[in-house]
Coordinates of all heavy atoms in Angstrom, one line a residue:
M791 N -4.7 -28.3 -12.1 CA -5.2 -27.9 -10.7 C -6.2 -26.8 -10.8 O -6.1 -25.9 -11.6 CB -3.9 -27.4 -10.0 CG -4.2 -27.0 -8.5 SD -2.6 -26.7 -7.7 CE -3.2 -26.5 -6.0
S792 N -7.2 -26.9 -10.0 CA -8.3 -25.9 -10.0 C -8.5 -25.3 -8.6 O -8.2 -26.0 -7.6 CB -9.6 -26.4 -10.6 OG -10.1 -27.4 -9.7
Y793 N -9.0 -24.1 -8.5 CA -9.3 -23.5 -7.2 C -10.7 -23.2 -7.1 O -11.4 -22.9 -8.0 CB -8.5 -22.2 -7.1 CG -7.0 -22.3 -7.2 CD1 -6.3 -22.3 -8.4 CD2 -6.3 -22.6 -6.0 CE1 -4.9 -22.4 -8.4 CE2 -4.9 -22.8 -6.0 CZ -4.2 -22.7 -7.2 OH -2.9 -22.9 -7.3
A794 N -11.2 -23.4 -5.9 CA -12.7 -23.1 -5.6 C -12.9 -21.6 -5.7 O -12.0 -20.8 -5.3 CB -13.0 -23.6 -4.2
E795 N -14.0 -21.2 -6.2 CA -14.4 -19.8 -6.3 C -14.6 -19.2 -5.0 O -15.3 -19.9 -4.1 CB -15.6 -19.6 -7.2 CG -15.3 -19.7 -8.7 CD -16.4 -19.2 -9.5 OE1 -17.2 -18.3 -9.1 OE2 -16.6 -19.7 -10.7
R796 N -14.1 -18.0 -4.7 CA -14.3 -17.4 -3.4 C -14.6 -15.9 -3.6 O -14.0 -15.3 -4.5 CB -13.1 -17.5 -2.5 CG -12.8 -18.9 -2.1 CD -11.6 -19.0 -1.2 NE -11.9 -18.5 0.1 CZ -10.9 -18.2 1.0 NH1 -9.7 -18.5 0.7 NH2 -11.2 -17.8 2.2
A797 N -15.5 -15.4 -2.9 CA -15.8 -13.9 -3.0 C -14.6 -13.1 -2.5 O -13.9 -13.6 -1.5 CB -17.0 -13.6 -2.2
F798 N -14.3 -12.0 -3.1 CA -13.1 -11.2 -2.8 C -13.2 -10.8 -1.3 O -12.2 -10.8 -0.6 CB -13.1 -10.0 -3.7 CG -11.8 -9.1 -3.4 CD1 -10.6 -9.6 -3.8 CD2 -11.9 -7.9 -2.8 CE1 -9.4 -8.8 -3.6 CE2 -10.8 -7.1 -2.5 CZ -9.6 -7.6 -2.9
D799 N -14.4 -10.5 -0.8 CA -14.5 -10.0 0.6 C -14.1 -11.2 1.5 O -13.6 -11.0 2.6 CB -15.9 -9.6 0.9 CG -16.2 -8.2 0.3 OD1 -15.2 -7.5 -0.1 OD2 -17.3 -7.7 0.3
D800 N -14.5 -12.4 1.1 CA -14.1 -13.6 2.0 C -12.6 -13.7 2.1 O -12.0 -14.0 3.1 CB -14.7 -14.9 1.4 CG -16.2 -14.9 1.6 OD1 -16.7 -14.1 2.4 OD2 -16.8 -15.7 0.9
V801 N -12.0 -13.5 0.9 CA -10.5 -13.6 0.9 C -9.9 -12.5 1.7 O -9.0 -12.7 2.5 CB -10.0 -13.6 -0.6 CG1 -8.4 -13.6 -0.6 CG2 -10.5 -14.7 -1.4
L802 N -10.4 -11.3 1.6 CA -9.9 -10.2 2.3 C -10.1 -10.3 3.8 O -9.2 -9.8 4.6 CB -10.6 -8.9 1.8 CG -9.8 -7.6 1.9 CD1 -8.5 -7.7 1.2 CD2 -10.6 -6.4 1.4
S803 N -11.1 -11.1 4.2 CA -11.3 -11.2 5.7 C -10.2 -12.1 6.3 O -10.1 -12.2 7.5 CB -12.7 -11.9 5.9 OG -12.7 -13.2 5.5
T804 N -9.4 -12.7 5.5 CA -8.3 -13.6 6.0 C -7.0 -12.8 6.0 O -5.9 -13.3 6.4 CB -8.1 -14.8 5.2 OG1 -7.6 -14.5 3.9 CG2 -9.4 -15.6 5.0
V805 N -7.0 -11.5 5.6 CA -5.8 -10.7 5.6 C -5.7 -9.8 6.8 O -6.7 -9.2 7.2 CB -5.8 -9.9 4.3 CG1 -4.5 -9.0 4.2 CG2 -5.8 -10.8 3.1
E806 N -4.5 -9.7 7.4 CA -4.3 -8.8 8.5 C -3.2 -7.8 8.2 O -2.3 -8.1 7.4 CB -3.9 -9.6 9.8 CG -4.9 -10.6 10.3 CD -4.4 -11.4 11.4 OE1 -3.2 -11.2 11.9 OE2 -5.1 -12.3 11.8
F807 N -3.3 -6.6 8.7 CA -2.3 -5.6 8.5 C -1.7 -5.2 9.8 O -2.4 -4.7 10.7 CB -2.9 -4.4 7.8 CG -3.4 -4.7 6.4 CD1 -4.8 -5.0 6.3 CD2 -2.6 -4.7 5.3 CE1 -5.3 -5.3 5.0 CE2 -3.1 -5.0 4.1 CZ -4.5 -5.3 3.9
H808 N -0.4 -5.4 10.0 CA 0.3 -5.0 11.2 C 1.0 -3.7 10.8 O 2.1 -3.7 10.3 CB 1.3 -6.0 11.6 CG 0.6 -7.3 12.0 ND1 1.4 -8.4 12.4 CD2 -0.7 -7.7 12.1 CE1 0.5 -9.4 12.7 NE2 -0.7 -9.0 12.5
V809 N 0.3 -2.6 11.0 CA 0.7 -1.3 10.4 C 1.9 -0.7 11.2 O 1.8 -0.6 12.5 CB -0.5 -0.3 10.5 CG1 0.0 1.0 9.9 CG2 -1.6 -0.8 9.6
G810 N 3.0 -0.4 10.5 CA 4.1 0.2 11.1 C 4.0 1.7 11.2 O 3.2 2.3 10.5
E811 N 4.8 2.3 12.0 CA 4.7 3.8 12.1 C 5.3 4.5 10.8 O 4.9 5.5 10.4 CB 5.5 4.3 13.3 CG 4.7 4.1 14.6 CD 5.4 4.7 15.8 OE1 6.2 5.6 15.6 OE2 5.1 4.3 16.9
R812 N 6.3 3.8 10.2 CA 7.0 4.4 9.1 C 6.2 4.0 7.8 O 5.9 2.8 7.6 CB 8.4 3.8 9.0 CG 9.2 4.4 7.8 CD 10.6 3.8 7.7 NE 10.5 2.3 7.3 CZ 10.4 1.9 6.1 NH1 10.5 2.7 5.1 NH2 10.4 0.6 5.8
A813 N 5.9 5.0 7.0 CA 5.3 4.7 5.7 C 6.3 4.0 4.8 O 7.3 4.6 4.4 CB 4.8 6.0 5.0
H814 N 6.0 2.8 4.4 CA 7.0 2.0 3.6 C 6.9 2.4 2.1 O 7.8 2.1 1.3 CB 6.8 0.5 3.7 CG 5.5 0.0 3.2 ND1 4.3 0.2 3.9 CD2 5.2 -0.7 2.1 CE1 3.4 -0.4 3.2 NE2 3.9 -0.9 2.1
I815 N 5.8 3.1 1.7 CA 5.7 3.7 0.4 C 5.3 5.1 0.5 O 4.4 5.5 1.3 CB 4.6 2.9 -0.4 CG1 5.0 1.5 -0.6 CG2 4.4 3.6 -1.8 CD1 3.9 0.6 -1.3
T816 N 6.0 6.0 -0.2 CA 5.5 7.4 -0.2 C 5.4 7.9 -1.7 O 6.0 7.3 -2.6 CB 6.6 8.3 0.5 OG1 7.8 8.2 -0.1 CG2 6.7 8.0 2.0
V817 N 4.5 8.8 -1.9 CA 4.2 9.3 -3.2 C 4.4 10.8 -3.2 O 4.0 11.6 -2.3 CB 2.7 9.0 -3.5 CG1 2.3 9.6 -4.9 CG2 2.4 7.5 -3.5
D818 N 5.2 11.3 -4.2 CA 5.6 12.7 -4.4 C 4.6 13.4 -5.3 O 4.6 13.2 -6.5 CB 7.0 12.8 -4.9 CG 7.5 14.2 -5.0 OD1 6.6 15.2 -4.9 OD2 8.7 14.4 -5.1
N819 N 3.7 14.1 -4.7 CA 2.6 14.8 -5.5 C 3.1 15.8 -6.5 O 2.5 16.1 -7.5 CB 1.6 15.4 -4.5 CG 0.5 14.5 -4.2 OD1 -0.1 13.9 -5.1 ND2 0.1 14.4 -3.0
S820 N 4.3 16.3 -6.2 CA 4.8 17.3 -7.2 C 5.2 16.6 -8.5 O 5.2 17.2 -9.6 CB 6.1 18.0 -6.6 OG 7.1 17.1 -6.4
V821 N 5.5 15.3 -8.4 CA 5.7 14.5 -9.7 C 4.4 14.1 -10.3 O 4.2 14.2 -11.5 CB 6.6 13.3 -9.4 CG1 6.9 12.5 -10.6 CG2 7.9 13.8 -8.8
C822 N 3.5 13.6 -9.4 CA 2.2 13.1 -9.9 C 1.4 14.2 -10.6 O 0.5 13.9 -11.5 CB 1.4 12.6 -8.7 SG 2.2 11.1 -7.9
A823 N 1.6 15.4 -10.2 CA 0.8 16.5 -10.8 C 0.9 16.6 -12.3 O -0.1 17.1 -13.0 CB 1.2 17.8 -10.2
S824 N 2.0 16.1 -12.9 CA 2.2 16.2 -14.3 C 1.9 14.8 -15.0 O 2.2 14.6 -16.2 CB 3.6 16.6 -14.7 OG 4.6 15.7 -14.2
C825 N 1.4 13.9 -14.3 CA 1.1 12.5 -14.8 C -0.2 12.5 -15.5 O -1.2 12.8 -14.9 CB 1.2 11.5 -13.6 SG 0.8 9.8 -14.2
T826 N -0.2 12.0 -16.7 CA -1.5 11.9 -17.5 C -2.1 10.6 -17.4 O -3.3 10.4 -17.6 CB -1.2 12.3 -18.9 OG1 -0.2 11.4 -19.5 CG2 -0.9 13.7 -19.1
S827 N -1.4 9.5 -17.1 CA -1.9 8.2 -17.0 C -2.6 7.8 -15.7 O -3.6 7.2 -15.6 CB -0.9 7.1 -17.4 OG 0.0 7.0 -16.3
Q828 N -2.0 8.3 -14.6 CA -2.4 7.9 -13.3 C -2.7 6.4 -13.2 O -3.8 6.0 -12.6 CB -3.6 8.8 -12.8 CG -3.2 10.2 -12.6 CD -4.1 11.0 -11.8 OE1 -5.3 10.7 -11.7 NE2 -3.6 12.1 -11.2
V829 N -1.9 5.6 -13.8 CA -2.1 4.2 -13.9 C -2.2 3.5 -12.5 O -2.9 2.5 -12.3 CB -1.0 3.5 -14.7 CG1 0.4 3.6 -14.1 CG2 -1.3 2.1 -15.0
C830 N -1.6 4.1 -11.5 CA -1.6 3.6 -10.2 C -3.0 3.5 -9.6 O -3.4 2.6 -8.8 CB -0.8 4.4 -9.2 SG -1.3 6.1 -9.2
V831 N -3.9 4.4 -10.0 CA -5.2 4.5 -9.5 C -6.0 3.2 -9.8 O -6.7 2.6 -8.9 CB -6.0 5.7 -10.0 CG1 -7.4 5.7 -9.5 CG2 -5.3 7.0 -9.6
S832 N -6.0 2.7 -11.0 CA -6.7 1.5 -11.4 C -5.9 0.2 -11.1 O -6.5 -0.8 -11.0 CB -7.1 1.6 -12.8 OG -6.0 1.8 -13.7
A833 N -4.6 0.4 -11.0 CA -3.8 -0.9 -10.9 C -3.6 -1.4 -9.5 O -3.5 -2.6 -9.3 CB -2.4 -0.6 -11.5
C834 N -3.7 -0.5 -8.5 CA -3.5 -0.9 -7.1 C -4.7 -1.8 -6.7 O -5.8 -1.3 -6.7 CB -3.4 0.3 -6.2 SG -3.3 -0.2 -4.5
P835 N -4.4 -3.1 -6.3 CA -5.5 -3.9 -6.0 C -6.2 -3.5 -4.6 O -7.3 -4.0 -4.3 CB -4.8 -5.3 -5.8 CG -3.4 -5.0 -5.5 CD -3.1 -3.7 -6.3
A836 N -5.5 -2.7 -3.9 CA -6.1 -2.3 -2.6 C -6.7 -0.9 -2.7 O -7.2 -0.4 -1.7 CB -5.0 -2.3 -1.5
D837 N -6.8 -0.3 -3.9 CA -7.4 1.0 -4.1 C -6.8 2.1 -3.1 O -7.5 2.9 -2.5 CB -8.9 0.9 -3.8 CG -9.6 0.4 -5.0 OD1 -9.1 0.4 -6.1 OD2 -10.8 -0.1 -4.8
L838 N -5.5 2.1 -3.1 CA -4.8 3.0 -2.1 C -4.5 4.4 -2.8 O -4.1 5.3 -2.0 CB -3.6 2.4 -1.5 CG -3.9 1.1 -0.7 CD1 -2.6 0.6 -0.1 CD2 -4.9 1.3 0.4
F839 N -4.6 4.5 -4.1 CA -4.2 5.8 -4.8 C -5.5 6.4 -5.2 O -6.3 5.9 -5.9 CB -3.4 5.5 -6.0 CG -2.0 4.9 -5.8 CD1 -1.9 3.6 -5.5 CD2 -0.9 5.8 -5.8 CE1 -0.6 3.1 -5.3 CE2 0.3 5.3 -5.5 CZ 0.5 3.9 -5.3
V840 N -5.8 7.6 -4.6 CA -7.0 8.3 -4.9 C -6.7 9.7 -5.6 O -5.9 10.5 -5.0 CB -7.7 8.6 -3.5 CG1 -9.0 9.4 -3.8 CG2 -8.0 7.3 -2.8
P841 N -7.2 9.8 -6.8 CA -6.9 11.1 -7.5 C -7.6 12.3 -6.9 O -8.8 12.2 -6.4 CB -7.5 10.8 -8.9 CG -8.5 9.7 -8.7 CD -8.1 8.9 -7.5
M842 N -6.9 13.4 -6.8 CA -7.4 14.6 -6.2 C -7.8 15.6 -7.3 O -7.2 15.6 -8.4 CB -6.4 15.2 -5.2 CG -5.9 14.2 -4.2 SD -7.2 13.7 -3.0 CE -7.3 15.2 -2.0
A843 N -8.6 16.6 -6.9 CA -9.0 17.6 -7.8 C -7.9 18.4 -8.4 O -7.9 18.9 -9.5 CB -10.1 18.5 -7.2
D844 N -6.8 18.6 -7.6 CA -5.7 19.4 -8.0 C -4.7 18.6 -8.9 O -3.6 19.1 -9.2 CB -4.9 20.0 -6.8 CG -4.3 18.9 -5.9 OD1 -4.4 17.7 -6.2 OD2 -3.7 19.3 -4.9
G845 N -5.0 17.4 -9.2 CA -4.1 16.6 -10.1 C -3.2 15.7 -9.3 O -2.5 14.8 -9.9
G846 N -3.1 15.9 -8.0 CA -2.2 15.1 -7.2 C -2.9 13.8 -6.8 O -4.0 13.4 -7.2
I847 N -2.2 13.0 -5.9 CA -2.7 11.7 -5.5 C -2.7 11.7 -4.0 O -1.8 12.1 -3.3 CB -1.8 10.6 -6.0 CG1 -1.9 10.4 -7.5 CG2 -2.1 9.3 -5.3 CD1 -3.1 9.8 -8.0
L848 N -3.8 11.2 -3.4 CA -3.9 10.9 -2.0 C -3.6 9.5 -1.8 O -4.2 8.6 -2.4 CB -5.3 11.2 -1.5 CG -5.6 10.9 0.0 CD1 -4.7 11.9 0.9 CD2 -7.0 11.1 0.3
F849 N -2.5 9.2 -1.0 CA -2.1 7.8 -0.8 C -2.0 7.5 0.7 O -1.5 8.2 1.5 CB -0.7 7.6 -1.5 CG -0.2 6.3 -1.3 CD1 -0.6 5.2 -2.0 CD2 0.8 6.0 -0.3 CE1 -0.1 3.9 -1.8 CE2 1.3 4.7 -0.1 CZ 0.8 3.7 -0.8
N850 N -2.5 6.3 1.0 CA -2.3 5.7 2.4 C -1.7 4.4 2.3 O -2.1 3.5 1.5 CB -3.7 5.6 3.0 CG -4.3 7.0 3.3 OD1 -3.7 7.8 4.1 ND2 -5.4 7.3 2.8
Y851 N -0.6 4.2 3.1 CA 0.1 2.9 3.0 C -0.4 1.8 3.9 O 0.0 0.6 3.7 CB 1.6 3.2 3.4 CG 1.8 3.5 4.9 CD1 2.1 2.5 5.8 CD2 1.6 4.8 5.4 CE1 2.3 2.7 7.1 CE2 1.7 5.0 6.7 CZ 2.1 4.0 7.6 OH 2.2 4.3 8.9
E852 N -1.3 2.1 4.8 CA -1.7 1.2 5.8 C -2.2 -0.2 5.4 O -1.9 -1.2 6.0 CB -2.8 1.8 6.8 CG -2.2 2.9 7.7 CD -2.3 4.3 7.0 OE1 -2.5 4.4 5.8 OE2 -2.1 5.3 7.8
H853 N -3.0 -0.2 4.3 CA -3.6 -1.5 3.9 C -3.0 -2.0 2.6 O -3.7 -2.6 1.7 CB -5.1 -1.3 3.7 CG -5.8 -1.2 5.0 ND1 -7.1 -0.8 5.2 CD2 -5.4 -1.4 6.3 CE1 -7.4 -0.7 6.5 NE2 -6.4 -1.1 7.2
C854 N -1.7 -1.8 2.4 CA -1.0 -2.2 1.2 C -0.7 -3.7 1.3 O -0.3 -4.3 2.3 CB 0.4 -1.4 1.2 SG 1.5 -2.0 -0.1
F855 N -0.9 -4.4 0.1 CA -0.6 -5.8 0.0 C 0.9 -6.1 -0.3 O 1.2 -7.3 -0.4 CB -1.5 -6.4 -1.1 CG -2.9 -6.4 -0.9 CD1 -3.8 -6.0 -1.9 CD2 -3.5 -6.7 0.3 CE1 -5.2 -6.0 -1.7 CE2 -4.8 -6.7 0.5 CZ -5.7 -6.3 -0.5
E856 N 1.7 -5.0 -0.5 CA 3.1 -5.2 -0.9 C 3.3 -6.0 -2.1 O 4.3 -6.7 -2.3 CB 3.9 -5.9 0.3 CG 3.8 -5.1 1.6 CD 4.2 -5.8 2.8 OE1 5.1 -6.7 2.7 OE2 3.6 -5.6 3.9
C857 N 2.4 -5.8 -3.1 CA 2.5 -6.5 -4.4 C 3.5 -5.9 -5.3 O 4.0 -6.6 -6.2 CB 1.2 -6.6 -5.0 SG 0.5 -5.0 -5.6
G858 N 3.8 -4.6 -5.2 CA 4.8 -4.0 -6.0 C 4.2 -3.5 -7.4 O 5.0 -2.9 -8.2
T859 N 3.0 -3.7 -7.6 CA 2.4 -3.3 -8.9 C 2.6 -1.8 -9.2 O 2.9 -1.4 -10.3 CB 0.9 -3.6 -8.9 OG1 0.7 -5.0 -8.7 CG2 0.3 -3.3 -10.3
C860 N 2.3 -1.0 -8.2 CA 2.4 0.5 -8.4 C 3.9 0.9 -8.8 O 4.1 1.7 -9.8 CB 2.0 1.3 -7.2 SG 2.9 0.8 -5.7
Y861 N 4.8 0.3 -8.2 CA 6.2 0.6 -8.4 C 6.7 0.1 -9.8 O 7.4 0.8 -10.5 CB 7.1 0.0 -7.4 CG 8.5 0.4 -7.4 CD1 8.9 1.8 -7.2 CD2 9.6 -0.4 -7.7 CE1 10.2 2.2 -7.2 CE2 10.9 0.0 -7.7 CZ 11.2 1.3 -7.5 OH 12.5 1.7 -7.5
L862 N 6.1 -1.0 -10.3 CA 6.5 -1.5 -11.6 C 5.8 -0.7 -12.7 O 6.4 -0.5 -13.8 CB 6.0 -3.0 -11.7 CG 6.9 -4.0 -10.9 CD1 6.2 -5.4 -10.9 CD2 8.3 -4.1 -11.5
L863 N 4.6 -0.2 -12.5 CA 3.9 0.4 -13.6 C 4.1 1.9 -13.7 O 4.1 2.5 -14.8 CB 2.4 0.2 -13.4 CG 1.9 -1.2 -13.6 CD1 0.3 -1.3 -13.4 CD2 2.2 -1.7 -15.0
C864 N 4.4 2.6 -12.6 CA 4.7 4.0 -12.6 C 5.9 4.3 -13.4 O 7.0 3.8 -13.1 CB 4.8 4.6 -11.2 SG 5.1 6.3 -11.2
D865 N 5.8 5.2 -14.4 CA 7.0 5.5 -15.2 C 7.5 6.9 -15.0 O 8.3 7.4 -15.8 CB 6.7 5.3 -16.7 CG 5.6 6.2 -17.2 OD1 5.0 7.0 -16.4 OD2 5.3 6.2 -18.4
K866 N 7.1 7.5 -13.9 CA 7.7 8.8 -13.5 C 8.7 8.7 -12.4 O 8.4 8.4 -11.3 CB 6.5 9.7 -13.0 CG 5.5 10.1 -14.0 CD 5.9 11.4 -14.7 CE 4.7 11.9 -15.6 NZ 5.2 12.9 -16.4
P867 N 10.0 8.9 -12.8 CA 11.1 8.7 -11.8 C 10.8 9.6 -10.6 O 10.5 10.8 -10.7 CB 12.3 9.2 -12.5 CG 12.0 8.9 -14.0 CD 10.5 9.2 -14.1
G868 N 10.9 9.0 -9.4 CA 10.8 9.8 -8.2 C 9.4 9.9 -7.6 O 9.2 10.4 -6.5
A869 N 8.4 9.5 -8.4 CA 7.0 9.6 -7.9 C 6.7 8.7 -6.7 O 6.1 9.1 -5.8 CB 6.0 9.3 -9.1
I870 N 7.2 7.5 -6.8 CA 7.0 6.5 -5.8 C 8.3 6.1 -5.1 O 9.2 5.7 -5.9 CB 6.2 5.3 -6.3 CG1 4.9 5.6 -6.8 CG2 6.1 4.2 -5.2 CD1 4.1 4.5 -7.4
T871 N 8.4 6.2 -3.8 CA 9.5 5.6 -3.1 C 9.0 4.3 -2.4 O 8.0 4.4 -1.6 CB 10.1 6.6 -2.1 OG1 10.5 7.8 -2.8 CG2 11.2 6.0 -1.3
W872 N 9.5 3.2 -2.8 CA 9.0 1.9 -2.4 C 10.0 1.1 -1.6 O 11.1 0.9 -2.0 CB 8.6 1.1 -3.6 CG 7.5 0.1 -3.5 CD1 6.2 0.2 -3.9 CD2 7.7 -1.2 -2.9 NE1 5.6 -1.0 -3.6 CE2 6.4 -1.9 -3.0 CE3 8.7 -1.9 -2.3 CZ2 6.2 -3.2 -2.5 CZ3 8.5 -3.2 -1.9 CH2 7.2 -3.8 -2.0
T873 N 9.6 0.7 -0.4 CA 10.4 -0.2 0.4 C 9.4 -1.2 1.0 O 8.2 -1.0 1.1 CB 11.2 0.5 1.5 OG1 10.2 1.1 2.4 CG2 12.1 1.6 1.0
Y874 N 10.0 -2.3 1.6 CA 9.1 -3.2 2.4 C 9.0 -2.5 3.8 O 9.8 -1.8 4.2 CB 9.8 -4.6 2.5 CG 9.6 -5.4 1.3 CD1 10.6 -5.7 0.5 CD2 8.3 -5.9 1.0 CE1 10.5 -6.5 -0.6 CE2 8.1 -6.7 -0.1 CZ 9.2 -7.0 -1.0 OH 9.0 -7.7 -2.1
P875 N 7.9 -2.9 4.5 CA 7.7 -2.4 5.9 C 8.8 -2.9 6.8 O 9.5 -3.9 6.4 CB 6.4 -3.0 6.3 CG 5.7 -3.3 5.0 CD 6.7 -3.7 4.1
D876 N 9.0 -2.2 7.9 CA 10.0 -2.7 8.9 C 9.6 -4.1 9.4 O 8.4 -4.4 9.4 CB 10.1 -1.7 10.0 CG 10.6 -0.3 9.5 OD1 11.4 -0.3 8.6 OD2 10.2 0.7 10.1
G877 N 10.6 -4.8 9.9 CA 10.3 -6.2 10.4 C 9.2 -6.3 11.4 O 9.1 -5.4 12.3
G878 N 8.4 -7.3 11.2 CA 7.2 -7.5 12.1 C 6.0 -6.7 11.7 O 4.9 -6.8 12.3
H879 N 6.1 -5.9 10.6 CA 5.0 -5.1 10.2 C 4.6 -5.4 8.8 O 5.3 -6.2 8.1 CB 5.3 -3.6 10.3 CG 5.6 -3.1 11.7 ND1 6.9 -3.0 12.1 CD2 4.8 -2.8 12.7 CE1 6.8 -2.6 13.4 NE2 5.5 -2.5 13.7
G880 N 3.4 -4.9 8.4 CA 3.0 -5.1 7.0 C 1.8 -6.1 6.9 O 1.2 -6.5 7.9
V881 N 1.6 -6.6 5.7 CA 0.5 -7.5 5.4 C 0.8 -8.9 5.9 O 1.9 -9.4 5.8 CB 0.1 -7.5 3.9 CG1 1.2 -8.1 3.1 CG2 -1.2 -8.2 3.7
V882 N -0.2 -9.5 6.4 CA -0.1 -10.9 6.8 C -1.3 -11.7 6.2 O -2.4 -11.4 6.4 CB -0.2 -11.1 8.4 CG1 -0.1 -12.6 8.7 CG2 0.9 -10.3 9.1
F883 N -0.9 -12.7 5.3 CA -1.9 -13.5 4.6 C -2.1 -14.7 5.5 O -1.2 -15.6 5.5 CB -1.4 -13.8 3.2 CG -1.3 -12.6 2.3 CD1 0.0 -12.1 2.1 CD2 -2.4 -12.0 1.8 CE1 0.2 -11.0 1.3 CE2 -2.2 -10.9 1.0 CZ -1.0 -10.4 0.7
T884 N -3.2 -14.8 6.1 CA -3.5 -16.0 6.9 C -4.1 -17.1 6.1 O -4.5 -16.8 4.9 CB -4.5 -15.6 8.1 OG1 -5.7 -15.3 7.6 CG2 -3.9 -14.5 8.9
K885 N -4.3 -18.2 6.6 CA -4.7 -19.4 5.8 C -6.2 -19.2 5.3 O -6.5 -19.5 4.2 CB -4.6 -20.7 6.6 CG -3.7 -21.7 5.9 CD -3.5 -22.9 6.8 CE -3.3 -24.1 6.0 NZ -3.2 -25.3 6.9
G886 N -7.0 -18.7 6.2 CA -8.4 -18.5 5.9 C -9.1 -19.7 5.8 O -9.5 -20.3 4.8
Ligands
SF4_1423 S1 2.3 7.4 -8.7 FE1 3.1 7.4 -10.8 S2 1.4 6.6 -12.0 FE2 0.5 7.3 -10.1 S3 -0.1 9.4 -10.5 FE3 2.0 9.5 -9.6 S4 3.3 9.5 -11.4 FE4 1.3 8.8 -12.1
SF4_1424 S1 2.4 -2.4 -3.5 FE1 0.4 -3.1 -4.4 S2 -1.1 -2.9 -2.8 FE2 0.7 -1.7 -2.2 S3 0.2 0.4 -2.9 FE3 1.4 -0.6 -4.5 S4 -0.1 -1.5 -5.9 FE4 -1.1 -1.0 -4.0

């Protein structure tokens, strides 16, 4: 089986985010400050982890794909609290 090539922006234009009021992922900067890998920064496909000058991480949950990559890769206990968004919220992958 093969798939037609598509530009990433074209694919992204088919994605909707029904943003909930509750942050379904939170990041504890007091833990991140001692992290040397900051693997979340390059691993998140939505570029939601932004390194700060003080060693912490700026994180926004609004455009999260809910892929779980950050939670799987981060090896610092307590750094990431990960849940799914509340019902009716979160990412919606439309057919495009
Ligand atoms: S979330 Fe995890 S991988 Fe990312 S900076 Fe914090 S401790 Fe490091
Ligand atoms: S679940 Fe995926 S898209 Fe969401 S913050 Fe983690 S790595 Fe990024």
Side-chain angles (χ1 to χ4, degrees):
M791 185 172 184
S792 64
Y793 296 93
E795 279 192 32
R796 297 179 69 189
F798 184 71
D799 285 348
D800 289 344
V801 177
L802 208 54
S803 69
T804 69
V805 177
E806 297 173 4
F807 297 95
H808 298 177
V809 179
E811 284 187 21
R812 182 184 66 87
H814 65 287
I815 299 173
T816 57
V817 177
D818 185 341
N819 266 313
S820 67
V821 180
C822 296
S824 62
C825 177
T826 53
S827 73
Q828 295 197 332
V829 64
C830 56
V831 174
S832 54
C834 174
D837 281 338
L838 300 181
F839 293 81
V840 178
M842 306 294 286
D844 65 1
I847 291 287
L848 177 66
F849 176 77
N850 291 300
Y851 70 96
E852 286 89 347
H853 291 166
C854 170
F855 295 138
E856 300 165 33
C857 64
T859 304
C860 55
Y861 190 63
L862 287 172
L863 291 181
C864 176
D865 62 358
K866 294 267 188 195
I870 295 177
T871 301
W872 204 104
T873 63
Y874 282 110
D876 297 329
H879 296 97
V881 68
V882 179
F883 297 101
T884 65
K885 237 175 150 183

